[in-house]
Amino acid sequence: MSLRTAVAAPFVQAGTDRLPRSDFVVDLSLDRDWFSPEQAKRLIDVAASEGLLTVEEETLDLAFDHASVAVPADFVPDESILRERSTFERVLDALVAEGIDKQEAVAAINGLQSDLAITLEAAAVLYARRQGIDVGEVARQAIEGL
């Protein structure tokens, strides 16, 4: 996933799972020229909402091991990663990552939404749970965002 790779790149370069916010922004905007400083700051917000970063004042903690990510030499992230994904999109990505056909999942989720008269997000979480896929963190983040 390019979001994970883009977020991890400054940490991989530094060889650590903790960085000052300013180092992260400088790495992505000036050193790599992937984003403007404002976009790099936006990436922090998106990554935190996705559970990839923990932000404590001016310090960023990577929520996964930086050594688990390889940043290809020719890697350049698309600006679309700066857009926050909805709960539905995040659950759907988790389903697809587990090998479930995307069209099949969308059809089943839509069916649950209609049959149970619940939100699309709730139907997606329910469908994932029925498939044995843990999307609890995504569900918690969605609830906290209400």
Side-chain angles (χ1 to χ4, degrees), residues 4-140:
R4 184 179 172 100
T5 304
V7 170
F11 295 92
V12 170
Q13 178 71 29
T16 183
D17 290 332
R18 173 175 269 210
L19 281 176
R21 179 187 295 258
S22 59
D23 288 2
F24 183 88
V25 171
V26 167
D27 183 276
L28 294 178
S29 61
L30 298 177
D31 296 346
R32 297 178 192 272
D33 196 29
W34 286 350
F35 302 109
S36 70
E38 293 77 25
Q39 289 173 318
K41 291 173 187 174
R42 174 74 182 135
L43 183 63
I44 293 170
D45 295 337
V46 171
S49 76
E50 296 277 338
L52 299 175
L53 285 178
T54 303
V55 181
E56 294 180 20
E57 295 184 21
E58 293 302 312
T59 303
L60 307 176
D61 289 307
L62 197 59
F64 55 92
D65 182 12
H66 72 277
S68 69
V69 177
V71 181
D74 61 345
F75 175 78
V76 177
D78 187 83
E79 286 186 21
S80 66
I81 67 171
L82 299 174
R83 181 182 64 81
E84 285 190 56
R85 296 179 302 156
S86 69
T87 300
F88 171 75
E89 291 171 315
R90 293 165 60 194
V91 171
L92 188 58
D93 285 350
L95 291 166
V96 171
E98 291 294 324
I100 295 174
D101 180 71
K102 187 174 187 175
Q103 290 179 336
E104 176 185 314
V106 169
I109 291 166
N110 286 336
L112 281 173
Q113 179 189 19
S114 177
D115 293 347
L116 301 175
I118 57 178
T119 66
L120 184 63
E121 292 79 8
V125 170
L126 177 60
Y127 178 76
R129 296 293 269 195
R130 287 183 175 177
Q131 301 304 309
I133 298 170
D134 180 17
V135 292
E137 185 59 31
V138 173
R140 275 187 290 284

